[in-house]
Amino acid sequence: MILSDKRILEEIEQGSIVIEPFDRKCLGTNSYDVHLGKYLATYVDEVLDAKKHNQIQHFEIPADGFVLMPGMLYLGVTLEYTETHGHVPFLEGKSSTGRLGIDIHATAGKGDVGFCNTWTLEISVAQPVRVYAGMPIGQLIYFVVEGDIETLYNSKGNAKYNSKTIRPVESMMWKNAF
């Protein structure tokens, strides 16, 4: 089941969902709108290696925006810091974002119960499009969890994305044994 607007507000009041900054105007019927943070990043190397720690370079989106180009992977970040202690958060693109040809995640739309951070976005575009820091970029949807949780994400010793950040984070696939 997906949480309604009233239920999201109740969970925020109880502290099981945290959204900072929170703006009541961003609350939809069953979702919460999130915004593009001021930092983007691109990988330094053209060829990425799943077994290697691929380096990224961060840059700030200028006030007059930044043009994203097709054929490039951009890592973005949400302006909002979130915590989810009893629900499964899903980040989806807004229809307005999709209608500009912007995909905000390649595969990682689901968070884990206990995820406490900003969201790194895996952004690609169908055609050149100018984006701006603070623009609406996606929406969080919260699902009810069935059953008890043994280990929350933020308490896992091997969780790769636990360090609080306001910048996009590169892939940590290289930390996996394969």
Side-chain angles (χ1 to χ4, degrees), residues 12 22 35 52 68 82-83 104 120 125 136 139 161 172:
I12 289 171
F22 177 80
H35 302 81
K52 176 184 165 193
L68 303 175
T82 68
E83 295 183 8
I104 66 165
T120 292
V125 296
Q139 54 191 345
Y161 305 104
M172 297 295 171

Side-chain angles (χ1 to χ4, degrees), residues 32-164:
Y32 185 85
D33 289 351
V34 293
H35 302 81
L36 183 60
K38 65 181 180 177
Y39 296 105
L40 293 174
T42 55
Y43 282 98
V44 173
D45 295 330
E46 186 176 332
V47 177
L48 303 178
D49 185 335
K51 287 191 174 188
K52 176 184 165 193
H53 187 180
N54 299 283
Q55 301 300 311
I56 58 174
Q57 54 188 19
H58 293 97
F59 57 95
E60 197 167 329
I61 300 172
D64 61 347
F66 180 81
V67 178
L68 303 175
M69 300 301 290
M72 285 287 300
L73 172 63
Y74 298 91
L75 298 179
V77 66
T78 58
L79 174 67
E80 290 81 5
Y81 167 86
T82 68
E83 295 183 8
T84 310
H85 301 286
H87 302 88
V88 177
F90 273 75
L91 178 62
E92 295 294 337
K94 294 182 61 58
S95 63
S96 300
T97 306
R99 291 172 192 183
L100 290 173
I102 302 171
D103 289 321
I104 66 165
H105 62 77
T107 61
K110 180 192 69 66
D112 286 310
V113 179
F115 177 75
C116 302
N117 214 337
T118 55
W119 290 69
T120 292
L121 310 170
E122 305 126 4
I123 303 173
S124 59
V125 296
Q127 67 187 64
V129 60
R130 185 176 300 273
V131 296
Y132 301 86
M135 69 181 271
I137 196 75
Q139 54 191 345
L140 286 170
I141 302 163
Y142 297 94
F143 286 82
V144 173
V145 175
E146 182 66 34
D148 294 332
I149 297 163
E150 184 175 58
T151 308
L152 294 172
Y153 184 82
N154 61 340
S155 64
K156 287 175 125 180
N158 64 345
K160 296 183 289 257
Y161 305 104
N162 258 343
S163 298
K164 189 173 178 180

